[in-house]
Amino acid sequence: MKIAVCVSHVPDTASKIYIGSDGKSIDQTGLTYVVNPYDEFAIEEALKTKEKFGGETVAISLGTDANKETLRKALAMGIDNAVLLKDDKYRDSLSVAKALADEIKAQGAELVFFGKQSVDFDNSVVGQLTAELLGYNCVSVVVSFSLDGNKITCEREIEGGKEFIETSLPAVITAQKGLNEPRYASLKGIMAAKKKVIIEKPALQSENFVEVIAMKRPPTKQAGRIIGTDVSAVPELVKILHEEAKVI
Amino acid sequence: MTLINKIDYYNIESLLSEEEKMVRDTVSDFVNSEVIPIIEKYYHDEKFPFHLIPKLGEMGLFGITLPQKYGCAEMNNVAYGLAMQELERGDSGLRSFASVQSALVMYPIYTFGNEEQKNYWLPKLATGEKIGCFGLTEPDYGSNPGGMVTHAEKVDGGYLLNGAKMWITNGTIADVAVVWAKLDGVVHGFLVEKGTKGFEAPEMKGKHSLKASVTSELVFQDVFIPEENLLPNSRGLKSALMCLSQARYGIAWGVVGSMMACYDTALEYAKSRKQFSKPIAAYQITQEKLVYMITEITKAQLLNLQLGRLKDKNQAKFTHISMAKRNNCEKALDIARVAREILGANGILNEYPIMRHMNNLESVKTYEGTHEMHTLIIGEDITGFPAYDN
């Protein structure tokens, strides 16, 4: 079985993000990039599935040469092959999904893992869109995954509880934190990854339906107000929360 | 995730290869998630975090530069140095464990051992399934190990070992000790296995430094060492000193990790701590301290990188390694002390890593060749005059 894992190259979550001079993109100055954290769970699940059932794993990323760093890390963790779909233009989620679906089809992968969202733009839809384009089953925000023959059993997080799902291959699974403990790349893995070739292909072109027109930083936090320091302040606090802040 | 491993004022990152960066970042992630959250407690309780050993082994952090056929990563010395830097950013005790296992146990077995010894021990030491220690220093012979009294005597089928070693990292927990002893007046290396009759390794307690690391005595009373446990290619004190050069190299890199941890803590504290009308980082005296730290960190990073590149070309002399060990340990300790000053009273709390690093660095400055001995080693190299008794 061929298992694909789609990985996104995103700004380090510890980075401070500034808006670029065009007002609608991120200023790249001094930014460091990492593997999208949710994609690490996807990589780990792909590796675990391969270790259990055999087969071949391939990591796919859409973007520029910079994405090779993320693909290299996937290889160092133990993924067999890597494909970079090259494109340096802005793409909306559907356009990303179309390019990924095109490559997944070409690879003949029956099982595809994604992170539940990438932490740069947080649209949380690429996995689901890709599944739809491929005609695959899809389970999102998965915290437990098992495969038995063709049958897939998943646990997914829902508001205030858990949902248990059964489906079958071919399928797209989007990974939530808790699905597994991603392994650290080993030094031997890093050396092996160095020898592997990242296959580069032009990404399938398609039209965007969504356009970013502006980016803004959240408003700066107002200074707090101290109503009182003991129990006697509670009635006043409740009044303010109700009438001014309108949160209760 | 913190970007602390990117303390890099001179863009030295641009001089690293992709896999060197990847090693640094992988070990950095490991230290941030698995070491820093727990280490203060282990330090306080005087316990070594044993549960980390299999993980370190799985990542390939033991014997990093040794060949793949023995289960090692076969990476270059810069990657090895960066890994030590990140481990010591966690704690000097953890780095010491990895240093001993790699430079003082796997290296001598690889360099002076025969093929059977290498095939048996190296893969097990690489995964951490077996732990090693190195016995050279004795209670009365530290800087002049050549005076050692531990000796071996040839008997039927092997050797009889007598003597004692002191200040041995990992001694009590080691499955195998690489012990240096005189045989007919010449120093040789022997592999002494745990449980051998007459061999004891009591732990030394009461340390104010390296508390998350095991330090032991090794005592040998008529210990029979079979012939096959002699390291056949070790000859003279030089063999033992070659191991120390490997370990000192790792220390020179390691202490930069301690420097980074102390600098980062002091910088963040200085920016947020307000006294009088502004953050203390806005006062000239604090700025002078912070500038001193980042300048010394940058110098140490450059020293290490060039040393590593020389070592990879087999051009690093032991005197080069002495310079980096001597300078970086001294500056790391100075930085820890200045960082503590910036934090004021808060600097003594275990809420911050500074005092732990400072205490650890007191040992690191002294072990593997004291600051003073490295001064004399370089002094002799540049003047031609040995300033110690030969």
Side-chain angles (χ1 to χ4, degrees):
Chain A
M1 179 176 53
K2 198 154 197 180
I3 305 163
V5 52
C6 297
V7 291
S8 187
H9 191 59
V10 301
D12 191 314
T13 46
S15 300
K16 276 204 174 128
I17 305 290
Y18 296 97
I19 296 165
S21 55
D22 64 358
K24 54 181 183 178
S25 64
I26 296 171
D27 182 359
Q28 299 294 328
T29 322
L31 273 191
T32 47
Y33 276 72
V34 295
V35 181
N36 175 41
Y38 293 108
D39 297 350
E40 292 193 15
F41 303 114
I43 295 170
E44 178 63 30
E45 206 59 27
L47 292 171
K48 278 170 70 176
T49 308
K50 183 202 153 170
E51 282 159 6
K52 216 164 164 187
F53 302 103
E56 191 187 335
T57 52
V58 58
I60 306 168
S61 190
L62 171 75
T64 64
D65 278 336
N67 291 44
K68 285 182 184 169
E69 202 182 310
T70 277
L71 287 169
R72 216 37 99 189
K73 173 143 188 214
L75 292 172
M77 285 172 77
I79 294 289
D80 300 311
N81 298 302
V83 179
L84 173 63
L85 302 174
K86 288 188 90 161
D87 194 13
D88 56 3
K89 287 184 292 295
Y90 165 78
R91 279 178 179 255
D92 65 13
S93 299
L94 181 59
S95 171
V96 172
K98 282 178 180 168
L100 292 175
D102 182 56
E103 180 58 24
I104 292 163
K105 212 169 169 184
Q107 292 280 342
E110 287 176 86
L111 178 60
V112 188
F113 291 100
F114 282 77
K116 77 172 173 87
Q117 70 192 89
S118 69
V119 301
D120 47 4
F121 298 107
D122 290 322
N123 286 314
S124 313
V125 291
V126 174
Q128 294 89 324
L129 289 172
T130 307
E132 177 61 25
L133 292 165
L134 288 165
Y136 283 15
N137 295 318
C138 182
V139 193
S140 60
V141 203
V142 168
V143 291
S144 166
F145 168 85
S146 67
L147 182 65
D148 182 9
N150 231 23
K151 197 178 97 182
I152 292 170
T153 314
C154 288
E155 229 177 278
R156 61 187 299 273
E157 273 188 355
I158 52 170
E159 191 70 34
K162 276 181 181 172
E163 194 173 54
F164 298 85
I165 302 231
E166 267 185 23
T167 185
S168 59
L169 290 173
V172 167
I173 305 294
T174 80
Q176 163 71 315
K177 186 177 179 181
L179 176 61
N180 51 46
E181 275 287 319
R183 66 196 66 188
Y184 296 98
S186 73
L187 271 56
K188 272 192 268 182
I190 292 171
M191 289 304 273
K194 189 182 158 185
K195 293 186 192 123
K196 289 181 185 165
V197 181
I198 293 173
I199 300 155
E200 297 179 39
K201 297 180 178 175
L204 177 79
Q205 293 300 316
S206 60
E207 166 190 10
N208 285 330
F209 292 94
V210 175
E211 186 192 350
V212 176
I213 50 170
M215 282 188 183
K216 278 187 182 155
R217 295 185 69 83
T220 40
K221 245 179 159 177
Q222 302 293 315
R225 186 158 31 125
I226 296 168
I227 314 284
T229 54
D230 58 25
V231 183
S232 69
V234 173
E236 178 66 8
L237 179 65
V238 171
K239 189 175 155 223
I240 290 170
L241 289 174
H242 185 65
E243 290 173 11
E244 281 183 34
K246 298 188 165 65
V247 291
I248 55 172
Chain B
M1 190 191 296
T2 150
L3 292 174
I4 187 172
N5 70 355
K6 302 280 163 63
I7 293 174
D8 182 9
Y9 200 71
Y10 260 33
N11 192 21
I12 297 165
E13 166 125 4
S14 65
L15 301 173
L16 300 178
S17 71
E18 201 178 339
E19 59 273 10
E20 287 162 355
K21 283 188 263 188
M22 217 191 260
V23 169
R24 179 199 58 192
D25 293 347
T26 303
V27 183
S28 180
D29 283 352
F30 170 78
V31 168
N32 289 341
S33 341
E34 316 256 346
V35 180
I36 290 172
I38 59 140
I39 197 65
E40 289 293 350
K41 179 155 174 47
Y42 280 85
Y43 184 89
H44 177 269
D45 296 345
E46 296 187 45
K47 288 200 172 114
F48 179 78
F50 280 101
H51 66 281
L52 296 178
I53 297 174
K55 289 186 182 178
L56 292 166
E58 212 170 287
M59 288 172 73
L61 293 173
F62 302 135
I64 294 173
T65 57
L66 299 183
Q68 294 195 355
K69 67 170 174 168
Y70 300 118
C72 304
E74 204 169 343
M75 289 196 126
N76 69 13
N77 282 286
V78 172
Y80 167 51
L82 288 164
M84 295 302 110
Q85 169 190 301
E86 289 308 310
L87 288 181
E88 193 145 2
R89 193 167 60 70
D91 190 77
S92 302
L94 187 65
R95 199 270 309 137
S96 297
F97 183 95
S99 274
V100 168
Q101 184 89 345
S102 304
L104 298 180
V105 180
M106 296 175 75
Y107 171 82
I109 292 174
Y110 172 69
T111 309
F112 309 119
N114 58 33
E115 212 45 47
E116 290 77 54
Q117 290 167 334
K118 291 187 218 184
N119 285 331
Y120 179 76
W121 286 107
L122 294 178
K124 294 181 180 69
L125 291 160
T127 58
E129 179 196 335
K130 298 280 185 190
I131 297 170
C133 72
F134 177 89
L136 177 67
T137 298
E138 298 190 353
D140 294 326
Y141 296 93
S143 293
N144 59 335
M148 69 171 68
V149 294
T150 301
H151 61 280
E153 185 190 331
K154 184 81 187 88
V155 292
D156 195 24
Y159 308 90
L160 221 46
L161 191 66
N162 278 286
K165 300 287 178 183
M166 205 173 184
W167 306 115
I168 310 305
T169 300
N170 298 350
T172 311
I173 58 174
D175 299 290
V176 62
V178 174
V179 177
W180 300 88
K182 280 181 182 165
L183 176 66
D184 297 327
V186 180
V187 174
H188 287 267
F190 296 87
L191 299 176
V192 184
E193 293 181 46
K194 188 179 197 160
T196 309
K197 198 172 162 231
F199 170 39
E200 301 280 337
E203 188 171 353
M204 297 169 68
K205 288 287 189 184
K207 291 180 293 174
H208 279 300
S209 176
L210 292 180
K211 288 171 67 167
S213 168
V214 174
T215 310
S216 318
E217 291 175 61
L218 307 180
V219 184
F220 311 100
Q221 272 186 319
D222 289 333
V223 179
F224 176 73
I225 312 290
E227 184 71 48
E228 63 265 25
N229 279 13
L230 170 78
L231 289 175
N233 303 317
S234 66
R235 197 77 82 238
L237 189 62
K238 188 170 178 279
S239 299
L241 297 179
M242 282 166 68
C243 304
L244 293 185
S245 276
Q246 300 298 315
R248 290 164 181 171
Y249 173 80
I251 294 169
W253 281 89
V255 293
V256 171
S258 301
M259 294 186 199
M260 288 173 166
C262 292
Y263 169 75
D264 183 64
T265 307
L267 178 65
E268 291 311 312
Y269 185 89
K271 287 198 287 192
S272 62
R273 168 79 171 171
K274 276 190 185 154
Q275 287 294 281
F276 304 102
S277 59
K278 53 191 180 183
I280 60 171
Y283 291 97
Q284 290 180 354
I285 292 180
T286 311
Q287 289 189 1
E288 196 279 332
K289 289 174 177 171
L290 292 166
V291 170
Y292 166 77
M293 291 188 205
I294 188 68
T295 307
E296 289 306 331
I297 290 172
T298 306
K299 283 151 76 176
Q301 286 172 324
L302 288 168
L303 207 58
N304 282 344
L305 185 61
Q306 172 62 358
L307 180 65
R309 296 287 181 232
L310 285 175
K311 201 165 184 304
D312 280 329
K313 286 187 271 185
N314 264 327
Q315 291 171 4
K317 296 194 287 181
F318 68 93
T319 49
H320 292 149
I321 295 172
S322 282
M323 181 177 281
K325 197 275 179 186
R326 177 185 181 276
N327 176 76
N328 297 0
C329 290
E330 179 178 50
K331 297 306 175 193
L333 194 48
D334 288 348
I335 285 171
R337 288 173 179 153
V338 174
R340 209 287 306 150
E341 285 170 18
I342 291 175
L343 268 74
N346 279 306
I348 71 165
L349 292 176
N350 68 3
E351 193 180 321
Y352 301 97
I354 293 173
M355 200 82 181
R356 177 169 51 82
H357 280 296
M358 195 198 297
N359 286 352
N360 284 338
L361 288 164
E362 289 288 352
S363 298
V364 178
K365 191 182 175 188
T366 288
Y367 72 20
E368 309 291 339
T370 62
H371 185 78
E372 294 79 357
M373 285 310 295
H374 289 298
T375 309
L376 299 186
I377 289 167
I378 304 166
E380 180 186 359
D381 190 44
I382 60 174
T383 66
F385 298 114
Y388 39 77
D389 298 336
N390 268 329

